[in-house]
Amino acid sequence: MKDHAFEDITITAIVKRAEVSRTAYYRNYHSKEDILQSTMKEIVDKIIAAMNFHLPIRNSYEYWLALFQTLEQHMEYLQIIPKLTWQILFSTNYKPHS
């Protein structure tokens, strides 16, 4: 998605780059939006876990440091967000893992 608009990315291109079969792809995802939502959910879950690890907040520096380090680890994906429409990202309700 760095090189192409989301709308221009095809399932064929995805499976070719991932070096998987279309069957394997469709076994796990129904659409390219599913991959995006899955990836974003995984990132949000990691951010929540990093923040929850520091609850109750005893040291606000460590709390915020954990947040920013987690964001930095996923910056490549997070930079893509402005290129996408919110409708694509949140076409279903986000529910973090409990």
Side-chain angles (χ1 to χ4, degrees), residues 19-38:
E19 297 180 355
V20 298
S21 69
R22 288 181 80 84
T23 303
Y25 172 85
Y26 282 111
R27 188 177 313 125
N28 296 293
Y29 303 102
H30 297 298
S31 66
K32 63 184 180 181
E33 289 80 7
D34 283 353
I35 293 175
L36 182 61
Q37 288 175 348
S38 175

Side-chain angles (χ1 to χ4, degrees), residues 33-84:
E33 289 80 7
D34 283 353
I35 293 175
L36 182 61
Q37 288 175 348
S38 175
T39 301
M40 294 308 299
K41 183 176 182 330
E42 186 178 316
I43 292 170
V44 170
D45 286 346
K46 287 179 181 180
I47 292 168
I48 291 169
M51 305 317 299
N52 285 341
F53 181 75
H54 293 282
L55 292 177
I57 300 173
R58 293 190 181 104
N59 182 328
S60 62
Y61 173 80
E62 289 180 9
Y63 181 82
W64 290 106
L65 181 62
L67 169 64
F68 291 122
Q69 285 176 333
T70 305
L71 291 172
E72 183 179 38
Q73 290 170 2
H74 302 288
M75 190 56 63
E76 181 179 344
Y77 295 105
L78 295 173
Q79 288 175 335
I80 293 169
I81 292 172
K83 297 177 185 176
L84 303 172

